[in-house]
Amino acid sequence: MSTETPSDVRSSVSRHDSTAEVLQFLRAARSEYRTERRKSAVFVAYLLVLFGGVWGVPALLAVARLGQSSRLDRSEPLLQALPLWLPAVLALASLLVVRSAVWRGPVVADSATVSWLLPQPIARGPLLLPRLASSATVSALLGMASGGVLGFLIGNVSGAAWLSVTAAGVWAGLGTALVGTGLSVLIVRHEVRWERQQRRIFQAGWCGVALLGLLSVIALTRGLPTWAGTTVLWLLPWGWAAQPLTAAALGTAPGWPLAMLMWACGIVVPALLAVRAVPDIPAEALRLRATVADRMGASLFSLDLRRARSAMRVRQRRGARPASWVRPPNLPWLVLPWRDALCLVREPGRLGWGCVWSALSIAALAFASARTGTTATLSSIAAVWFLYLAAAQFVEPARLESDDMRRSTLLPYRAGTLALWHAVVPGLLLAGATGLGIAVCVVGGWWTPALAAVPAAVPASVGAALVGAYRGPVPFHLLVGTETAMGNTAPIQTAVWYLRGLLALMALTAPVVVAAAADGSCGPRGAAWLLLAGVAGLLWARRTARRLNA
């Protein structure tokens, strides 16, 4: 028996009528705006098709020819481990899509809609559901394209019919994108309830993906029983998505029609829950994401990538809590290193990635020492690049300082001296990480005197990373560029501005590291040159910080 009173019925009817009137008015008022957006979307689609045809198709054909040659004769372990690493890739893609909901979300309303329309007594579903449909369509197209390319490459390596394998890849990519979009809506809808558990949820997701990745690596290197891949294919939803592709490429998934039906149900259920949850998304969440979207768009148009990145982290910083177990020091000169260490403790992901990149640097140089020719040269250059990426993770406190100068107003340091103080913690962390990596190489029997070039290049890497941290926004004259016979120089100038620290590091240290890998030893002269490059890099960072502050 209904409990609604006649006044409730009249208010709901008037609410419905007002919603229809508002939507009709918006369609008339925004007709020209929608036309312009359609034209922009068509132009973007045209550019994607054009660049895809010019660059993407030839690249795929080149990879196809490479797959048919004898260079990929070792692809048998990759195909045998397909039931393990393919669900890991799909799970990672879904996790990344859901992770993006923390700062963006699949439903992004403009500021006018959030400020003027949503507070009005109208139904929110008709306003927000089209935005969800648009976001889901874009995600589905990207997922289908990515899955199709992956399926084509797998079919080319396995020798299966490319059409069936590509179609299976398209299906896997489509489902992964839609499932990620649906879960993103649920994350945004219940973010107030899940705010405290959000980090634990994502940590569990990352651990699950890491476990699948570890099983894949073990299967590729040492091999695993067949039942391990079968268990993953039937235990996880992403295994259901991978079964049609596995069956098309290897023919080892006899129950793939049932798995395909289960995956279809797994797509429909989050989609229906998302459609029901969209009208109940809190206004605060929509307002926050509208603000982030505006800042993101303005930053990208001005090519201020750091400000865009800061806009992405707005939502993540809201729930930040101080690490109470890290006590402040008693000595005044330790205050700034303590602040830097506290900043990195609050973002353990940067510590983890810095250690990973430093380990990859050691591994790349050890690999280069055992090779000759072009392979050794490229591996040595990669070792320098990985070391720079590790330093870039550790200098995050300096990057935050350069983004907001108010953080350093009460400190008794000038801008240049402050930049040098910011090199202390990253230098110690990077030296410790590389030292630990060298110790592992000594214990494992992979030691070579050439590995001494990595810790010797630590100051230069930290200096180059600090130059990138204090570079500031792109100057206007670089954005304008100069007209030449080969075109405008603005893109090249902007790229050099952003990559100048890395380019200088490569120019000064890469030849020494390559020579050390070729000779099997760094030598006193090589180590002295790397340390001298580190001093020059730190002085350059000091000068860059002073210019930015001025």
Side-chain angles (χ1 to χ4, degrees):
M1 182 176 180
S2 177
T3 58
E4 291 184 343
T5 62
S7 60
D8 294 333
V9 175
R10 286 194 299 270
S11 63
S12 62
V13 172
S14 62
R15 181 187 180 96
H16 176 74
D17 292 341
S18 62
T19 301
E21 293 175 0
V22 169
L23 293 178
Q24 184 178 3
F25 172 77
L26 289 177
R27 280 193 294 268
R30 292 182 172 181
S31 59
E32 296 182 1
Y33 173 71
R34 288 199 307 271
T35 303
E36 294 298 327
R37 290 200 60 179
R38 292 193 189 100
K39 292 180 180 179
S40 301
V42 171
F43 180 68
V44 171
Y46 165 74
L47 291 180
L48 291 177
V49 173
L50 179 62
F51 283 101
V54 173
W55 297 99
V57 174
L60 282 178
L61 294 179
V63 172
R65 288 192 296 268
L66 180 62
Q68 295 173 359
S69 64
S70 59
R71 298 182 183 180
L72 291 180
D73 290 338
R74 299 180 180 180
S75 60
E76 189 65 27
L78 187 66
L79 294 176
Q80 291 180 353
L82 182 65
L84 286 172
W85 65 261
L86 184 57
V89 171
L90 298 179
L92 177 62
S94 298
L95 186 59
L96 291 176
V97 173
V98 176
R99 190 70 179 86
S100 67
V102 175
W103 63 270
R104 184 184 181 275
V107 181
V108 180
D110 55 89
S111 300
T113 300
V114 172
S115 302
W116 294 94
L117 293 179
L118 293 183
Q120 304 301 322
I122 59 176
R124 305 174 70 185
L127 290 174
L128 300 180
L129 286 176
R131 303 177 188 276
L132 173 62
S134 177
S135 178
T137 301
V138 174
S139 299
L141 292 177
L142 293 177
M144 292 169 64
S146 303
V149 171
L150 180 61
F152 175 79
L153 296 177
I154 293 176
N156 182 72
V157 173
S158 64
W162 71 271
L163 185 59
S164 60
V165 181
T166 303
V170 169
W171 166 251
L174 172 65
T176 301
L178 293 180
V179 168
T181 303
L183 295 178
S184 300
V185 175
L186 299 179
I187 286 288
V188 177
R189 167 64 183 89
H190 301 286
E191 68 175 358
V192 177
R193 182 187 307 174
W194 292 349
E195 186 172 3
R196 295 184 179 180
Q197 292 80 16
Q198 190 178 89
R199 178 171 295 182
R200 297 178 182 177
I201 293 174
F202 283 113
Q203 286 178 351
W206 289 118
C207 291
V209 172
L211 179 60
L212 289 177
L214 179 61
L215 292 177
S216 304
V217 172
I218 295 175
L220 288 171
T221 55
R222 300 181 178 273
L224 284 176
T226 308
W227 60 264
T230 305
T231 302
V232 172
L233 289 178
W234 284 105
L235 185 63
L236 300 177
W238 300 278
W240 308 339
Q243 285 207 37
L245 184 53
T246 305
L250 304 178
T252 58
W256 68 267
L258 177 60
M260 189 173 180
L261 179 61
M262 295 169 62
W263 180 239
C265 296
I267 297 173
V268 172
V269 171
L272 294 178
L273 293 177
V275 171
R276 294 185 57 184
V278 163
D280 299 326
I281 294 179
E284 181 185 359
L286 295 173
R287 187 178 301 109
L288 175 65
R289 283 159 179 82
T291 304
V292 172
D294 292 341
R295 293 181 182 178
M296 193 83 170
S299 303
L300 292 178
F301 276 117
S302 61
L303 293 181
D304 192 354
L305 302 182
R306 180 174 301 156
R307 195 168 297 278
R309 193 174 184 180
S310 300
M312 291 171 57
R313 294 198 300 263
V314 168
R315 177 62 185 90
Q316 302 174 19
R317 293 176 181 172
R318 294 180 65 212
R321 290 181 173 84
S324 58
W325 56 272
V326 182
R327 299 300 180 185
N330 295 325
L331 299 177
W333 60 274
L334 288 177
V335 170
L336 194 57
W338 169 76
R339 286 182 59 191
D340 292 351
L342 185 63
C343 177
L344 293 175
V345 167
R346 288 176 176 176
E347 297 188 14
R350 292 196 174 275
L351 288 173
W353 278 112
C355 294
V356 169
W357 289 123
S358 61
L360 289 177
S361 177
I362 295 288
L365 191 55
F367 178 80
S369 301
R371 298 293 188 275
T372 58
T374 306
T375 303
T377 302
L378 294 179
S379 298
S380 302
I381 294 175
V384 179
W385 181 47
F386 291 152
L387 194 64
Y388 172 82
L389 293 178
Q393 296 294 328
F394 292 147
V395 300
E396 177 65 15
R399 190 175 292 113
L400 295 177
E401 202 88 53
S402 66
D403 289 340
D404 189 1
M405 292 296 181
R406 296 172 300 178
R407 293 166 53 95
S408 59
T409 52
L410 299 180
L411 295 176
Y413 300 112
R414 295 181 181 272
T417 307
L418 189 64
L420 295 180
W421 272 107
H422 280 304
V424 174
V425 172
L428 293 177
L429 288 175
L430 196 56
T434 54
L436 182 60
I438 291 178
V440 172
C441 290
V442 171
V443 174
W446 303 299
W447 162 254
T448 174
L451 294 180
V454 177
V458 165
S461 302
V462 173
L466 285 175
V467 169
Y470 281 102
R471 62 174 173 252
V474 184
F476 181 73
H477 69 276
L478 295 182
L479 294 175
V480 175
T482 304
E483 295 295 337
T484 65
M486 301 298 294
N488 195 283
T489 60
I492 299 177
Q493 292 175 345
T494 305
V496 171
W497 173 265
Y498 276 108
L499 300 176
R500 54 180 177 164
L502 176 60
L503 294 176
L505 177 67
M506 289 292 185
L508 293 177
T509 62
V512 179
V513 176
V514 171
D519 298 338
S521 176
C522 181
R525 293 184 178 180
W529 175 261
L530 292 176
L531 293 177
L532 184 62
V535 173
L538 292 175
L539 293 178
W540 188 18
R542 178 175 178 269
R543 181 173 178 270
T544 304
R546 293 177 61 183
R547 292 184 61 182
L548 179 63
N549 188 64

